[in-house]
Amino acid sequence: MVLGICIAAVVLILAVILFSVYRKKQEEKRLEEERLKKIAEEEERQRQIRLKEEEKRAARKAETEAGKELYRYLNQSIKTMFYHYRNEKWEELKDLGKLELTDRDAAVRCVDKLPSSGGRLLRRFLSCLEGGKELETDGKVTDPDRLKGFFEQTMMPFFPVYYPEFSSGPRYISFLNQKILKLFTQLSGKKFRLGYKNRYPNGQIAFEWADDVYRVFRPDGYRLCEASFAEGKVKDGFAVIREYEDDNWIIYRSGQWKDGLLIKEDMQYRYKIPVENRSINGDE
């Protein structure tokens, strides 16, 4: 009987030991499964992070490319507007060409992310074109007057007054103001210099400035003004302005301006013999 009790005790002890070993292995298994699960979850989390980063990079790349496409279209459009405006053929400007975009959604995001001033300027331009607001335009001009206002908003302030004097140059890019150049940089990532290549073909400088006072010159070096401008007109300072022109005569109005008013006036009559070989006063 004692032997039986001893055997039973041994069996019980072994059972307890085996059960403890089993429990330990089960616990180790559970811990290992949890460890592997955490590893898998972390790997999946990292994979999702990488995917999101790749999506963000792809989106940024698409937006960057869209910005460059918008810059090229805007730049070419302003160039076209410049030649129509300078040659007084604005009424002939009907079409600026199709806006080609690789990814329209990326272009929309690009426009939405522009700083407020740049975004307003670009949207003003696009609003003048059929389908422009949706960035789906063939370039048909629907509001020529508003487009003209946009164009003047992108030029140096003296340009609407003196554009007839620039028939021989400089190029349009010389007259772009800081506002549009800043938008160009935001769209393209390039840097642009104010007054770039502002010279006539003969090397004479076309204009120079200090703060808001501009000095504009003819190709022969004659100074047309030293004045400030506002809303497409002379505001303060001295200026000589082409008033009338026909096949024989050019009539200039010159004098001092104050707050947009001409306070001291002089009319100058200049005979074409030819214009480019004569001074502003008609002297040889």
Side-chain angles (χ1 to χ4, degrees):
M1 182 175 177
V2 174
L3 180 60
I5 293 172
C6 291
I7 293 172
V10 171
V11 170
L12 180 61
I13 292 171
L14 289 174
V16 170
I17 293 172
L18 290 173
F19 182 72
S20 297
V21 171
Y22 171 77
R23 287 286 301 275
K24 183 178 180 181
K25 289 183 177 180
Q26 287 296 104
E27 181 64 16
E28 290 175 350
K29 181 180 179 181
R30 184 185 67 79
L31 293 174
E32 180 64 13
E33 288 176 348
E34 287 184 358
R35 187 181 70 82
L36 293 174
K37 182 180 179 181
K38 289 180 179 179
I39 291 174
E41 289 174 347
E42 179 61 21
E43 289 177 347
E44 178 61 20
R45 190 178 71 84
Q46 292 297 329
R47 189 181 73 84
Q48 291 297 329
I49 291 175
R50 288 194 297 271
L51 285 175
K52 289 180 180 179
E53 288 299 321
E54 290 172 2
E55 290 173 357
K56 288 180 181 179
R57 282 194 294 270
R60 286 196 295 268
K61 183 177 180 180
E63 290 165 14
T64 298
E65 181 58 32
K68 292 177 180 178
E69 291 170 340
L70 288 166
Y71 154 71
R72 288 192 289 268
Y73 184 74
L74 178 58
N75 185 34
Q76 182 58 45
S77 296
I78 291 176
K79 182 178 180 180
T80 300
M81 286 185 270
F82 174 83
Y83 290 111
H84 279 78
Y85 189 101
R86 188 184 66 178
N87 297 323
E88 298 186 341
K89 295 182 178 180
W90 192 263
E91 69 280 357
E92 298 179 11
L93 182 58
K94 307 295 183 183
D95 193 313
L96 291 173
K98 185 177 181 179
L99 172 59
E100 301 283 357
L101 293 173
T102 304
D103 187 335
R104 178 182 167 278
D105 290 338
V108 171
R109 294 196 303 272
C110 175
V111 174
D112 289 342
K113 290 181 180 180
L114 286 172
S116 58
S117 58
R120 283 195 302 270
L121 189 60
L122 180 58
R123 289 186 180 93
R124 181 176 184 184
F125 163 65
L126 293 169
S127 70
C128 302
L129 307 179
E130 186 176 277
K133 292 181 180 180
E134 296 77 28
L135 299 181
E136 293 180 326
T137 179
D138 288 330
K140 182 180 178 181
V141 178
T142 57
D143 193 336
D145 291 337
R146 181 176 174 82
L147 185 65
K148 189 175 185 179
F150 161 80
F151 172 74
E152 291 175 342
Q153 193 179 358
T154 68
M155 293 288 108
M156 289 285 198
F158 60 81
F159 186 79
V161 176
Y162 285 110
Y163 71 89
E165 308 294 340
F166 303 123
S167 59
S168 64
R171 295 172 60 234
Y172 77 101
I173 196 169
S174 304
F175 301 102
L176 299 179
N177 62 29
Q178 192 62 52
K179 190 181 298 184
I180 190 65
L181 293 179
K182 187 175 181 180
L183 176 57
F184 278 2
T185 296
Q186 292 165 352
L187 291 172
S188 70
K190 298 179 181 179
K191 292 183 178 180
F192 299 86
R193 182 161 58 87
L194 192 64
Y196 180 64
K197 292 187 176 180
N198 61 326
R199 293 182 181 274
Y200 294 102
N202 66 0
Q204 167 63 42
I205 192 169
F207 62 89
E208 58 189 16
W209 70 95
D211 297 325
D212 63 343
V213 175
Y214 294 84
R215 301 177 71 192
V216 179
F217 302 91
R218 285 171 41 85
D220 61 8
Y222 183 87
R223 177 170 58 90
L224 290 168
C225 75
E226 185 166 352
S228 60
F229 296 78
E231 299 179 355
K233 299 177 182 179
V234 179
K235 182 182 179 183
D236 295 301
F238 169 78
V240 179
I241 299 175
R242 188 179 298 206
E243 185 79 5
Y244 171 80
E245 180 176 3
D246 59 23
D247 292 337
N248 299 310
W249 294 93
I250 301 177
I251 299 175
Y252 287 91
R253 188 166 64 157
S254 65
Q256 290 286 335
W257 267 258
K258 180 67 175 177
D259 294 328
L261 298 176
L262 183 58
I263 59 176
K264 185 179 180 181
E265 182 176 4
D266 179 32
M267 301 301 290
Q268 301 179 17
Y269 298 84
R270 185 160 172 246
Y271 192 60
K272 295 182 176 179
I273 314 183
V275 172
E276 60 269 20
N277 292 333
R278 299 174 62 85
S279 73
I280 198 77
N281 294 311
D283 300 327
E284 294 290 351

